[in-house]
Amino acid sequence: EDEIALFERDMKEFWTEFKSVYGAEQINQTLALRDSCKEAIEALSEKWSKKLKEGDLMIDKIQEYKNEILQQSKCISEKEEQLAEIKSKLSQEEEQQTKLAESIQELKEELAKKMEIVSSKDKAAKEKVERLCKSKVLFEERLGLEIRRIHNEQLQFIFRHIDHKDPDKPYMFTLSINEKGDYEVTSCTPPLDCITEFQLKVRETNNFSAFVANIRKAFTALSYK
């Protein structure tokens, strides 16, 4: 407390001496200058305070823009992943379509070949049937044979004048052309044990006249039993 009192006394002495030296006018000028500086400082402080607030707002805005950009970047990244997935699926579908088109083309070519083979077989079968029909007169005259065309492009061969006790008794067998284009006996009345052997032989030799003659001989031999 003594030191404070001493300091106050020294300040009063300084202020009295200052006023006596500079006078009231200088003091007033100093005070005016002080007030002017104070006002300038307050104005500058207010200006910079406003600038700081604007800066804070700008920082907040920049942060908001950064967050928005990050969000958009994340969205773009997700879209790019989705696009890459779609491209991959499209590529797989295109590959599958290419394979499917190749498979379809192969099937078309295979079908065309099969149709050509079937057509060729049908043509060969029809030609055989036609040749048999053309031989009808010859067989009827020489072997007492009647040939009939029945369902499914089959030919029925009917022999008579075999059984001397009953010349009108029919002995018959039915012949067709199978899928391989070979002769095939589908029925035989009365049945002959040797019919399978005759069928194999005519497939090997293609001598149809001998085939018919052998069957007639077998029927004749059977009639004497």
Side-chain angles (χ1 to χ4, degrees):
E1 294 178 357
D2 294 338
E3 290 179 357
I4 292 173
L6 182 60
F7 179 72
E8 290 179 349
R9 190 192 64 188
D10 292 339
M11 289 296 295
K12 288 179 180 179
E13 290 177 356
F14 173 76
W15 184 245
T16 302
E17 184 179 357
F18 180 77
K19 287 193 292 183
S20 63
V21 173
Y22 289 98
E25 184 177 357
Q26 285 81 2
I27 292 172
N28 291 334
Q29 290 178 356
T30 301
L31 292 174
L33 180 61
R34 183 199 66 183
D35 293 339
S36 176
C37 289
K38 184 178 180 181
E39 291 176 359
I41 290 171
E42 288 177 353
L44 188 60
S45 297
E46 184 178 356
K47 180 179 179 181
W48 280 106
S49 177
K50 186 177 180 181
K51 291 289 186 182
L52 287 173
K53 289 180 180 179
E54 291 177 354
D56 290 340
L57 291 174
M58 184 64 70
I59 290 172
D60 292 341
K61 200 69 176 176
I62 290 173
Q63 187 63 39
E64 184 179 347
Y65 287 154
K66 286 176 66 178
N67 293 336
E68 185 177 351
I69 290 171
L70 287 174
Q71 188 67 26
Q72 290 181 353
S73 297
K74 183 179 178 181
C75 182
I76 290 172
S77 178
E78 292 176 354
K79 296 294 184 183
E80 287 178 346
E81 290 178 0
Q82 292 177 0
L83 182 61
E85 185 177 354
I86 291 172
K87 286 183 177 179
S88 177
K89 288 182 178 179
L90 288 174
S91 178
Q92 292 177 359
E93 289 179 358
E94 289 177 355
E95 185 178 354
Q96 290 177 355
Q97 288 180 354
T98 301
K99 290 182 179 179
L100 181 60
E102 292 176 353
S103 298
I104 291 173
Q105 184 61 31
E106 290 177 358
L107 289 174
K108 285 183 177 179
E109 293 176 356
E110 185 177 353
L111 180 60
K113 289 180 181 178
K114 287 184 177 180
M115 289 180 67
E116 184 178 354
I117 292 172
V118 170
S119 176
S120 177
K121 288 182 177 180
D122 287 345
K123 184 179 179 181
K126 288 181 180 179
E127 289 177 353
K128 283 188 176 182
V129 171
E130 291 298 327
R131 286 199 299 269
L132 292 177
C133 290
K134 290 179 180 179
S135 302
K136 178 180 178 181
V137 176
L138 177 62
F139 290 142
E140 288 179 346
E141 291 177 353
R142 296 187 180 182
L143 302 176
L145 174 65
E146 178 185 356
I147 301 176
R148 299 175 183 174
R149 178 178 289 186
I150 59 176
H151 61 280
N152 296 329
E153 295 296 324
Q154 296 186 92
L155 294 178
Q156 188 178 59
F157 295 77
I158 304 172
F159 296 97
R160 301 184 190 277
H161 307 295
I162 290 180
D163 189 348
H164 61 282
K165 296 178 182 179
D166 186 4
D168 292 331
K169 180 180 178 180
Y171 291 75
M172 67 185 71
F173 72 94
T174 303
L175 188 71
S176 68
I177 307 298
N178 63 20
E179 295 179 353
K180 296 181 179 180
D182 295 329
Y183 295 110
E184 183 173 352
V185 177
T186 57
S187 66
C188 182
T189 306
L192 295 174
D193 295 334
C194 55
I195 194 69
T196 302
E197 179 184 349
F198 293 161
Q199 179 177 267
L200 293 174
K201 191 170 183 180
V202 72
R203 290 178 182 177
E204 294 174 358
T205 62
N206 204 29
N207 189 341
F208 189 75
S209 298
F211 169 71
V212 175
N214 287 332
I215 291 179
R216 190 179 190 285
K217 290 177 182 178
F219 279 144
T220 301
L222 186 64
S223 69
Y224 285 101
K225 289 183 179 180

